[in-house]
Amino acid sequence: MSERRPGAAPNETTRRALLGGTLLGTTGLLLGGTALARTPPTTREPDIASTDAWGARPPRNELVLLSRPARKIIVHHTATPNSTDHSRAHAFELARSIQDHHMDHNGWTDTGQHFTLSRGGHITEGRHHSLAAFRDGGRHVVSAHTSGQNRLAVGIENEGTYDNVAFPSTQYDELVGLCSALCTAYAIEPYEIYGHRDFNATGCPGDRLYALLGQLRTDVAASVGGDPTGVSWPLLRSGDEDERVRVLQYLLNEHGATLTTDGIYGPATEGAVRDFQRSTGAIVDGLAGNQTWNQAVRERTYGDSGPAVRAVQHRLGTTVDGVFGPVTESAVRTFQSERGLRGNGVVDARTWDELVG
Ligand SMILES: [Zn+2]
C-alpha cells in the first residue's frame, strides 16, 4: 500500500504544479481523449480490466503522462484482508474501494498504483491511462505509489497482507505474467523489479512477498530474457572515506545537495543523506544503504549532463566535465563489456552498481 505518513506522501502537489508550467512541453503532456495504443508488446498481454470495465470514477485532476517509458517495476501488497473471494466481481470491488480510499482518504487525484492484482489472479488497471501507456511502450503515467519513484516506476498492488502469509500461486503466476509483459513493453531489465521497502520506510510488500522477489526476477528473465540478478549496494556511514563516498556525494548533488566531492563521509555528507532520505520517504538514519542508493541513482545516457554524469566520468577515468557525450558513452560501453554487462552505453542500476563498487 502506498505510504500514509506525511514524510512519505507522494508529491502530487509538485506534479500538479507542472501542469501549468512550460515544462509540460518537454517532459509530459495532458491527456485528453487521445488514443495512445500503437505498439503492442511482443509477449502475450495479460488480461487487464480497464478503469471503464470496473467502473472507476474520473480522476479529480488531469493526469500527467510522460513521453518516456517506465524504467522499473515496484511490487506492493495492499495490506488488506486475505480474501477468499477469488471472483472477478471481487477484484472489481477491490479496485473501486482502493480508488475511493486514495481519493477520499488520501486526497489523491486518482488510484495511486498503475495496476492491481487480486488474490484470485484478476488484474485491474489502477490509475487512468496506465493500460494505454503500457500498450504504447513509450509512455508512463505519473503515479502515487512510491515516494521518490513515481515518475520512474510502474506500481503493482497485490491484494492481501503478506507479512506472515504465503503468496498464492495463482496470484504469483499472474504477477510473473504482468511483470514479463511490462519488461517487454518498456524494455525493463528484470533486475529493475523491486519491492516498495527498497525505497521507502515501510514493511510493504510484507516479508513473505518480498522474499519472493528474487524468484520473481528469475522467472521473468526465464520468460522474456534479461538479467535477473538484483542490485546490491554498500552500506556507507559517517567516517568512511573512499571512492564510493565520492560517487554518493555526486549523486546527492544531482538531487540538490551542494557537497564538496572529496570522498569523505563527514557531517556535511551525513546531513545531506538525512535530508535526502527525508525528502524521498526513506528511513532517516544518516546511513547510505539500500534505500538511499536506490533512490539516488538515476539512469544516465548520451545527452545527459550534471553531477551524476560527473560521477560516471570520475569512475571511468575520463574528463570530468559533466556532459555525457561520445567519449563518455564509449567509455561506458567498454566498462560494461569488461564487467559482463549488456554494452548499451546506458548507465542503469546494474551499471551504477558496478561503478560504485
Ligand atoms: Zn507499498
Side-chain angles (χ1 to χ4, degrees):
M1 207 63 169
S2 302
E3 285 300 296
R4 297 291 196 285
R5 58 186 196 79
N11 303 314
E12 289 228 324
T13 310
T14 307
R15 287 202 310 281
R16 246 181 250 127
L18 278 177
L19 296 178
T22 52
L23 275 175
L24 258 183
T26 52
T27 64
L29 56 93
L30 290 174
L31 272 175
T34 314
L36 297 173
R38 284 200 308 269
T39 312
T42 53
T43 52
R44 177 190 69 86
E45 182 181 307
D47 183 11
I48 303 173
S50 70
T51 46
D52 284 346
W54 56 264
R57 295 155 60 183
R60 185 174 285 124
N61 300 103
E62 288 186 271
L63 300 167
V64 178
L65 188 72
L66 303 177
S67 300
R68 59 170 189 254
R71 300 315 307 139
K72 60 188 84 170
I73 297 168
I74 299 179
V75 174
H76 303 259
H77 70 170
T78 57
T80 55
N82 292 319
S83 171
T84 54
D85 185 346
H86 292 178
S87 69
R88 189 172 168 89
H90 170 76
F92 285 14
E93 177 55 38
L94 175 72
R96 287 190 290 269
S97 70
I98 290 174
Q99 189 192 30
D100 285 344
H101 188 82
H102 286 179
M103 292 179 70
D104 301 334
H105 181 273
N106 296 6
W108 297 348
T109 293
D110 193 4
T111 299
Q113 71 274 13
H114 298 89
F115 300 103
T116 309
L117 175 49
S118 79
R119 281 171 56 83
H122 301 285
I123 305 170
T124 47
E125 180 181 25
R127 181 154 291 208
H128 284 78
H129 312 304
S130 298
L131 190 50
F134 151 63
R135 284 174 175 156
D136 177 90
R139 301 192 177 189
H140 174 65
V141 184
V142 177
S143 55
H145 61 89
T146 303
S147 186
Q149 297 294 314
N150 290 316
R151 300 180 68 82
L152 300 169
V154 175
I156 302 173
E157 283 281 358
N158 290 277
E159 181 191 12
T161 302
Y162 298 109
D163 297 316
N164 308 302
V165 174
F167 193 60
S169 59
T170 303
Q171 198 172 6
Y172 179 77
D173 290 346
E174 290 301 319
L175 181 59
V176 172
L178 178 57
C179 288
S180 297
L182 286 164
C183 282
T184 299
Y186 285 128
I188 295 173
E189 286 280 350
Y191 54 71
E192 298 274 17
I193 299 173
Y194 301 88
H196 189 180
R197 68 173 65 172
D198 289 323
F199 299 91
N200 294 156
T202 174
C204 180
D207 289 350
R208 296 292 293 270
L209 177 51
Y210 186 74
L212 280 178
L213 296 185
Q215 186 63 46
L216 175 64
R217 286 187 281 263
T218 298
D219 289 340
V220 169
S223 169
V224 297
D227 181 355
T229 313
V231 294
S232 62
W233 305 107
L235 178 62
L236 304 182
R237 64 185 72 224
S238 185
D240 286 342
E241 185 174 339
D242 59 31
E243 290 305 314
R244 299 172 306 176
V245 177
R246 196 192 308 268
V247 173
L248 175 69
Q249 291 169 327
Y250 275 120
L251 289 171
L252 291 169
N253 286 350
E254 180 74 36
H255 292 276
T258 54
L259 294 167
T260 303
T261 49
D262 57 6
I264 300 171
Y265 203 125
T269 298
E270 183 176 345
V273 167
R274 287 180 183 276
D275 289 346
F276 181 65
Q277 291 170 330
R278 205 171 285 115
S279 71
T280 55
I283 297 168
V284 182
D285 59 7
L287 305 172
N290 188 44
Q291 291 180 356
T292 301
W293 288 105
N294 281 328
Q295 290 278 13
V297 295
R298 284 287 184 272
E299 192 170 284
R300 284 294 172 263
T301 188
Y302 186 89
D304 286 333
S305 60
V309 175
R310 289 180 183 272
V312 173
Q313 293 170 326
H314 183 84
R315 295 298 285 151
L316 294 177
T318 59
T319 304
V320 181
D321 61 3
V323 178
F324 201 126
V327 174
T328 302
E329 184 179 53
S330 173
V332 169
R333 286 181 192 275
T334 302
F335 177 80
Q336 288 172 323
S337 70
E338 285 170 359
R339 299 298 176 107
L341 307 174
R342 189 173 55 148
N344 60 358
V346 177
V347 182
D348 67 356
R350 161 68 65 236
T351 303
W352 275 117
D353 187 0
E354 292 289 332
L355 281 171
V356 172

